[in-house]
């Protein structure tokens, strides 16, 4: 059965653009409830651990320097079928192919600076939530 939470980060470039408010508005208007929220500067160690699955990819070093180039906003979102529905709202990894009405179509700069992160499975939603939030920071 599909779970009802997912984890997102608004990435540094979208923060610099001042797009965080508009992205959170899109998230809420799409029916997600924000049950945890914080602004945070990720360390290199944080980013390397969060993106460990990509450590052998050619874009890894660029991704780590980008994700530590300024603060992010981390949030936990609640909705039925949250992971799949949020990936749809996010749009494709490469914004060039993202549909109209998606967060990445509206706010991404390129494939690395693609505005926001979204978990890709229920298991990863739980792991990523626990990475950024203590239990008492989640308001359900
Ligand atoms: P996702 O964010 O859509 O789940 P992943 O494949 O998990 O995409 O990649 C994680 C992040 O790594 C992407 O959001 C993007 O910032 C960066 N990335 C992925 N593929 C590329 C690439 O081909 N070139 C540069 N950066 C990439
Ligand atoms: Mg991913």
């Amino acid at each position: 059965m599909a779970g009802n939470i997912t984890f997102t980060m608004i990435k540094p470039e979208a923060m610099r653009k001042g797009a965080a408010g508009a992205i959170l508005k899109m998230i809420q208007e799409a029916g997600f409830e924000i049950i945890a929220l914080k602004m945070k500067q990720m360390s290199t160690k944080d980013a390397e651990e969060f993106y460990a699955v990509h450590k052998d990819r050619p874009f890894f070093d660029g991704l780590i320097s980008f994700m530590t180039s300024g603060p992010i906003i981390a949030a936990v979102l609640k909705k039925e079928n949250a992971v799949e529905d949020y990936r749809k709202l996010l749009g494709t990894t490469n914004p060039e192919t993202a549909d109209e009405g998606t967060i990445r179509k509206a706010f991404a700069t390129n494939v690395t600076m693609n505005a926001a992160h979204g978990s890709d499975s229920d298991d990863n939603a739980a792991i990523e939530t626990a990475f950024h939030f203590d239990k008492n920071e989640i308001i359900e």
Side-chain angles (χ1 to χ4, degrees), residues 51 54 87 117-120:
Y51 283 113
H54 296 302
R87 294 290 306 196
H117 167 85
S119 307
D120 62 7

Side-chain angles (χ1 to χ4, degrees), residues 11 51 54 57 59 63 66 87 91-93 104 111-114 116-118 120:
K11 298 186 180 185
Y51 283 113
H54 296 302
R57 307 287 290 277
F59 58 81
L63 177 62
F66 167 56
R87 294 290 306 196
T92 52
T93 306
R104 284 172 169 170
V111 67
T112 297
M113 297 191 273
N114 59 5
H117 167 85
D120 62 7

